[in-house]
Amino acid sequence: MSRPSLTPTAPLNSAPRPARALLSLSAAVLLSLSAPALAQAPADTGASSQTAAENARKAELNAQAKALRNEAEATFVATEAGCYQKFLVNRCIDQARQLRLDTIKRARALEAEARQIDLAQRQRAAAEVQAAQRANAPAAQPAPGVPAPNVPAPAATATPAPAPDGDVGPSPEAERIRAERARNAGQAATGAQAERAARDAERAAKRAETEAEAAARAAAAERDRARYEERIRRHEEDQATKKK
């Protein structure tokens, strides 16, 4: 009678340890790759909606500022024409100018808010470009805690020595990174130049507005002087007529 074998048999569902390590590493890599992809879509949608809302707000602010400027000019012209029918002409005109200046200040405040929104958008775009540069950088080492796969080391192969006096060209990855950095630098320089041009245009507009106000004040003073002299002349004529 044969004696039964006492050797334990391995479970059917057991797998070698290297295979289990490979499966764990693959699952970790798939999770790390899929999580950013799943989170990127809502983030992109939120950024697009935020940009659209900011653009709408900028358009609204600029439209309100333009309407205030038009209102200031129209009110000043109408008030100035009526001031010449009053006794205190200069005081009436000064009050009209002050009212126009107050309205223009409100328009400038709205325009400044619109410029702040535009500046924030430019800064956010620059931050996104920097984030893209960091994302395109060479991949880092595997995160600690993930078991390395038990892959047999490849057989050593002889590396041919470089030919003497041979030119070693840059790798395509290095060329791509260099070209992308140059493109980003050009975009940043273009944005800075556009901001400087906008500031210069704003200063020129303010200077032109100040000069126009000074010219208007000078013209109004000249008209007032002419009217005053005309009144004095008529008064003298009336007095001479009464004496006769």
Side-chain angles (χ1 to χ4, degrees), residues 6 42 46 61 73 141 149 153 162 185 205 227 233:
L6 300 178
L61 290 172
E73 295 300 328
Q141 296 296 328
R227 284 193 299 270
R233 186 183 63 80

Side-chain angles (χ1 to χ4, degrees), residues 10-232:
L12 295 177
N13 56 352
S14 63
R17 291 184 178 179
R20 288 200 301 272
L22 286 175
L23 291 175
S24 301
L25 179 61
S26 301
V29 171
L30 288 176
L31 288 175
S32 62
L33 292 177
S34 60
L38 292 175
Q40 185 177 4
D44 293 341
T45 304
S48 300
S49 60
Q50 180 182 1
T51 302
E54 290 175 346
N55 291 335
R57 178 59 178 168
K58 282 195 303 183
E60 181 183 1
L61 290 172
N62 290 326
Q64 291 178 358
K66 184 177 180 180
L68 285 175
R69 287 183 177 273
N70 294 335
E71 177 187 353
E73 295 300 328
T75 304
F76 176 75
V77 171
T79 307
E80 185 184 21
C83 287
Y84 296 125
Q85 308 299 327
K86 297 182 179 181
F87 181 74
L88 300 176
V89 179
N90 292 337
R91 181 180 179 183
C92 179
I93 293 177
D94 290 340
Q95 291 176 350
R97 287 173 183 164
Q98 185 62 42
L99 179 61
R100 180 181 64 173
L101 182 59
D102 293 340
T103 307
I104 290 176
K105 286 181 179 179
R106 291 164 53 198
R108 289 175 180 172
L110 295 176
E111 292 169 350
E113 185 178 352
R115 287 193 299 271
Q116 289 294 330
I117 295 175
D118 185 70
L119 180 59
Q121 288 180 339
R122 291 176 183 273
Q123 292 175 349
R124 189 166 61 249
E128 291 175 356
V129 170
Q130 293 178 358
Q133 289 178 353
R134 289 192 296 268
N136 292 329
Q141 296 296 328
V146 179
N150 189 6
V151 180
T157 57
T159 304
D165 299 334
D167 295 335
V168 180
S171 64
E173 182 66 18
E175 286 293 333
R176 184 187 65 78
I177 295 176
R178 185 180 298 107
E180 185 175 359
R181 288 179 178 174
R183 183 172 61 254
N184 294 332
Q187 292 177 355
T190 303
Q193 184 177 3
E195 291 181 2
R196 287 195 300 270
R199 289 194 297 268
D200 293 341
E202 183 180 359
R203 285 194 293 266
K206 290 182 179 178
R207 184 168 57 252
E209 182 180 353
T210 302
E211 292 175 355
E213 290 179 355
R217 287 195 296 269
E222 182 64 23
R223 290 194 299 268
D224 294 342
R225 185 183 63 81
R227 284 193 299 270
Y228 179 75
E229 291 177 354
E230 180 65 20
R231 290 179 182 178
I232 295 297

